[in-house]
Amino acid sequence: MTTTDPAPTIRSSGQADASRGVDAVSVVEEPERPRWYRPALWVLLVLVGIAYLWGLGASKWANSFYSAAAQAGSVSWKALFFGSSDAANAITVDKPPASLWAMGLSARVFGVNPWSILFPQALMGVGSVALVVATVRRWFRPAAALLAGAVFAATPVAALMFRFNNPDALLVLLLCAAAYAVTRAIDVEGGSWRWLALAGTLVGLAFLSKMLQAFVVGPAFACAYLVAAPTGLGRRIRDLSVLAATTFAGAAWWIAIVELWPASSRPYIGGSQHNSVLELVFGYNGFGRLTGNEVGSVRSQATIASTGRWGPTGWLRMFNVGFGGQISWLLPAALLLLVAGVVWTFRSPRTDRARAALIIWGGWLVTTGVMFSLGQGIIHQYYTVALAPAIGAVIGIGASLAWDRRSSVTGRAVLAVSIGVTTMWSVALLHRTRGWYPWLPSAVLVGGVAAAVLLLVGDRLRRGPVSALSVGAVLAVLVALAPPVAATATTVRTPHTGAIPTAGPPMREPRPRHRHPRPRPARRPLRPPVGSRTVGNGRGPTSGQGPGMNGLLQAKPPTRPTVAALRRDAAGSDWVLATVGSNNAAGYQLATREPVMSIGGFNGTDPFPTLGQFQRLVAERRVRYFVPGLQGGYQMGGSDEAKRITDWVRSRFAVVDVGDAPMYDLDAPIDHAARCCSGAPG
């Protein structure tokens, strides 16, 4: 028996069913739904929708790299299928295309504009919250489900990514749907391979948004069904084979088509060094994220200056100055409630639903958190949105289990310690913001202490119309949600652009306090060398906060004369322009709506096209103009092929004087510069 309150929907019979080979059958009953539940759910979803849709166009093209690919997909079905950066299908983005399918189709329906590209992401956010609520609601009280959804929605990085066009939004939506399907599979008497097949298909499709990251939750889903499905061991194993097969099929069909498609008639696979999507699966977007062995990856000035290529790793990575404000506001409470829930359900019958839920969501939280904390490869702060649904669900489930045990000291102590830990960590995070809502730490501290006291000793206070425990619980929820909600509001009000956005207010490490600081001699501030650039906001390698980091790798829009010249000369060529790096290309493509070739792909490091291939394209007059160089804060000069192409163009063709970056006219060799162009050779 895992619950004492009649409100939950779980009841274990505790009796064996020898005829079915089941040692204990859990009976799932549909409780009377409180009248307030459905209105409260709609209020939550409407608020989430407003938060994710409000001022959505303020971020302009957001990540122009993906916006340009969505624009290409809006005019070319081939580009949409492969995830090409341009409609002429030179090279793909360095991720699988599932998220681009949603954005490209939206752009086809509503036209190519920032709102149409970001609109599907916001809908994915509302859908993800609804799925978390629905999943928790099946086995737990309505308040627990709403709390899970509220915690998820209040996470700052969730508001960031559901208002942005990186592929993480679709990844989270599909994994939430898969968790719901696994829950339904366990819910069915005798188990359900059909629901598992749906779960596997959804995880496979999630793979087509960010590749191997989608599979990290797979062990938790499989373990939950293996442990808790109300059927015999043989059938459980058989059903899990269906889960594995459909997961593989959901991911492999697109990979098989791309690998079998003749390379000469499809775009080059961006992010790979040998034009192979399998290289992305097992390298750049796969195991390389764990080992750091990512051929063709990028290297930032900020992280070069730190102890690691992508910042320090370790068990506390999610709590450091770079990641803490994004995801960890309620992470300590989630871990505490997860441990308590496992202890409480350890001796429960095998089919206990509460333990199964903890395996699903707690396993998701632990496996993904460990991967993010210890991975040596590329990791950005916004990746942590994948933790947000699990944090919300574990808090809702754990709080419900603790509330069921509120008559015991242990249950009340877990609730009190949870809000106490949350209060202390929230205050610590708020002290990193320096000046952002300066009154909030004191308010959180006072409210958190009061809530902890009421939860711990509320049963001894005189009872009135409302019990002190209930007041303490409500106050605890308000105190726990206030800081992340404020950070989410700041995220919603702030436009975000570039490839590496961050949520919430800027954060820095707290200043050390010295009782007797030594006087420092006055000195003149050092000036940076001429031509130097600061990556991010200059607040340290792991901060990643502020508008500077938001603008990292953002495409620079070309000037109006340049756009006019490109549009005028676009006819008769496949690509109106070729340039090194996808972010350079994206700026020109979104401004002109004409295909722009990205030499070297996203990082400029892909060996495509080769010098020989580019020379043939120029000879066939399929490329009209060329712009060299990369923009953004990364220390990379592109691939060797990109350098060869740049040197060849500079030595052979004339510069067009359009008042923008040096633009070479590939129809104007230097010998004819006086007749064709007003510029000088590079």
Side-chain angles (χ1 to χ4, degrees):
M1 189 75 175
T2 62
T3 59
T4 58
D5 192 32
T9 67
I10 314 165
R11 181 168 56 86
S12 297
S13 66
Q15 298 176 354
D17 187 347
S19 63
R20 297 181 60 87
V22 183
D23 54 351
V25 179
S26 292
V27 180
V28 180
E29 299 176 344
E30 183 66 26
E32 295 182 4
R33 180 174 295 165
R35 293 182 178 180
W36 54 265
Y37 172 70
R38 188 174 294 276
L41 174 60
W42 279 110
V43 168
L44 173 63
L45 296 180
V46 168
L47 290 176
V48 171
I50 292 173
Y52 292 170
L53 289 168
W54 186 270
L56 197 58
S59 294
K60 303 299 174 120
W61 296 115
N63 189 340
S64 56
F65 173 58
Y66 292 118
S67 292
Q71 182 274 328
S74 70
V75 296
S76 167
W77 289 109
K78 185 176 182 180
L80 183 69
F81 176 79
F82 285 106
S84 299
S85 293
D86 61 272
N89 292 288
I91 190 170
T92 70
V93 299
D94 59 354
K95 296 289 187 297
S99 65
L100 296 176
W101 295 340
M103 291 185 284
L105 291 174
S106 178
R108 281 180 177 266
V109 174
F110 300 108
V112 178
N113 56 73
W115 184 88
S116 68
I117 289 175
L118 297 179
F119 177 64
Q121 313 297 99
L123 293 185
M124 292 175 193
V126 177
S128 298
V129 173
L131 283 167
V132 169
V133 173
T135 305
V136 176
R137 176 66 187 91
R138 289 201 65 82
W139 292 345
F140 297 91
R141 54 169 45 87
L146 294 174
L147 177 60
V151 170
F152 175 22
T155 306
V157 73
L160 172 70
M161 295 317 296
F162 291 125
R163 293 171 53 85
F164 208 72
N165 59 334
N166 282 10
D168 301 73
L170 181 61
L171 172 74
V172 170
L173 173 67
L174 292 173
L175 293 184
C176 289
Y180 177 80
V182 172
T183 301
R184 293 299 303 269
I186 298 173
D187 223 5
V188 175
E189 186 68 26
S192 173
W193 65 266
R194 292 179 179 83
W195 278 108
L196 280 186
L198 175 60
T201 302
L202 291 167
V203 173
L205 291 176
F207 177 92
L208 296 182
S209 61
K210 287 202 76 174
M211 290 196 167
L212 284 187
Q213 183 182 334
F215 288 171
V216 175
V217 302
F221 293 171
C223 183
Y225 190 84
L226 183 63
V227 170
T231 187
L233 179 61
R235 182 169 177 178
R236 278 177 273 153
I237 295 175
R238 186 201 68 181
D239 291 349
L240 287 179
S241 67
V242 174
L243 175 66
T246 53
T247 299
F248 177 80
W253 68 270
W254 182 84
I255 295 173
I257 291 175
V258 173
E259 286 294 305
L260 295 174
W261 198 293
S264 59
S265 65
R266 63 160 170 79
Y268 185 93
I269 303 302
S272 73
Q273 299 296 297
H274 302 92
N275 196 15
S276 171
V277 70
L278 291 177
E279 187 176 334
L280 293 185
V281 173
F282 296 105
Y284 182 72
N285 288 327
F287 298 114
R289 300 295 169 120
L290 300 176
T291 65
N293 183 18
E294 299 161 305
V295 178
S297 181
V298 296
R299 183 185 296 270
S300 70
Q301 293 174 350
T303 52
I304 287 174
S306 70
T307 57
R309 188 176 186 183
W310 297 102
T313 62
W315 295 105
L316 297 179
R317 192 182 203 177
M318 295 298 99
F319 299 94
N320 69 24
V321 72
F323 292 89
Q326 310 294 304
I327 190 64
S328 73
W329 296 92
L330 292 165
L331 181 54
L335 295 175
L336 175 63
L337 290 170
L338 175 60
V339 172
V342 170
V343 171
W344 285 330
T345 60
F346 184 76
R347 296 183 179 276
S348 299
R350 178 182 64 79
T351 54
D352 181 68
R353 296 303 192 247
R355 184 174 55 205
L358 290 172
I359 294 175
I360 292 173
W361 295 104
W364 177 339
L365 175 61
V366 171
T367 55
T368 306
V370 169
M371 181 189 70
F372 287 159
S373 298
L374 303 182
Q376 300 289 330
I378 296 175
I379 181 171
H380 301 305
Q381 288 91 337
Y382 67 81
Y383 288 10
T384 56
V385 68
L387 294 171
I391 291 174
V394 168
I395 286 180
I397 294 167
S400 179
L401 294 177
W403 187 253
D404 293 339
R405 293 159 175 80
R406 62 189 179 275
S407 60
S408 68
V409 175
T410 302
R412 296 196 305 275
V414 168
L415 290 171
V417 172
S418 297
I419 187 58
V421 169
T422 299
T423 299
M424 295 298 102
W425 181 238
S426 295
V427 170
L429 287 175
L430 291 171
H431 283 162
R432 292 178 179 177
T433 62
R434 297 185 187 178
W436 180 77
Y437 295 134
W439 53 268
L440 190 55
S442 299
V444 169
L445 182 60
V446 172
V449 171
V453 171
L454 288 174
L455 289 172
L456 189 60
V457 300
D459 64 320
R460 300 183 180 181
L461 301 179
R462 178 179 297 179
R463 294 184 176 274
V466 180
S467 68
L469 276 175
S470 299
V471 173
V474 172
L475 182 59
V477 171
L478 295 177
V479 169
L481 291 181
V485 166
T488 294
T490 296
T491 303
V492 169
R493 294 195 302 265
T494 305
H496 295 86
T497 59
I500 312 177
T502 53
M507 288 193 175
R508 300 181 182 181
E509 289 288 4
R511 293 190 184 98
R513 295 182 179 180
H514 302 285
R515 292 185 178 181
H516 304 288
R518 297 179 180 179
R520 297 180 179 179
R523 61 180 181 178
R524 296 178 62 184
L526 296 177
R527 293 185 179 181
V530 176
S532 66
R533 296 186 63 179
T534 300
V535 176
N537 56 8
R539 294 178 180 175
T542 61
S543 64
Q545 305 290 334
M549 185 61 76
N550 287 334
L552 186 62
L553 288 179
Q554 174 64 359
K556 179 181 178 181
T559 61
R560 290 184 178 180
T562 301
V563 174
L566 293 175
R567 286 177 173 171
R568 182 184 65 241
D569 298 331
S573 59
D574 293 343
W575 296 274
V576 68
L577 178 73
T579 185
V580 180
S582 293
N583 286 283
N584 276 348
Y588 290 102
Q589 182 168 305
L590 291 170
T592 63
R593 307 297 169 88
E594 299 290 343
V596 175
M597 177 183 291
S598 168
I599 295 175
F602 177 71
N603 303 325
T605 55
D606 299 341
F608 175 85
T610 64
L611 176 59
Q613 290 172 328
F614 189 75
Q615 288 173 333
R616 286 193 295 271
L617 293 173
V618 172
E620 296 168 0
R621 295 192 172 184
R622 297 179 65 186
V623 185
R624 180 60 194 272
Y625 293 103
F626 176 84
V627 171
L630 288 166
Q631 296 176 6
Y634 281 100
Q635 288 271 10
M636 27 178 208
S639 66
D640 291 338
E641 294 296 335
K643 294 177 182 178
R644 293 190 187 101
I645 290 171
T646 301
D647 293 341
W648 178 74
V649 170
R650 284 174 170 169
S651 66
R652 297 294 183 92
F653 299 95
V655 177
V656 179
D657 185 9
V658 291
D660 204 350
M663 190 165 72
Y664 293 83
D665 189 344
L666 302 182
D667 277 352
I670 289 177
D671 293 341
H672 305 287
R675 180 169 59 87
C676 299
C677 304
S678 59

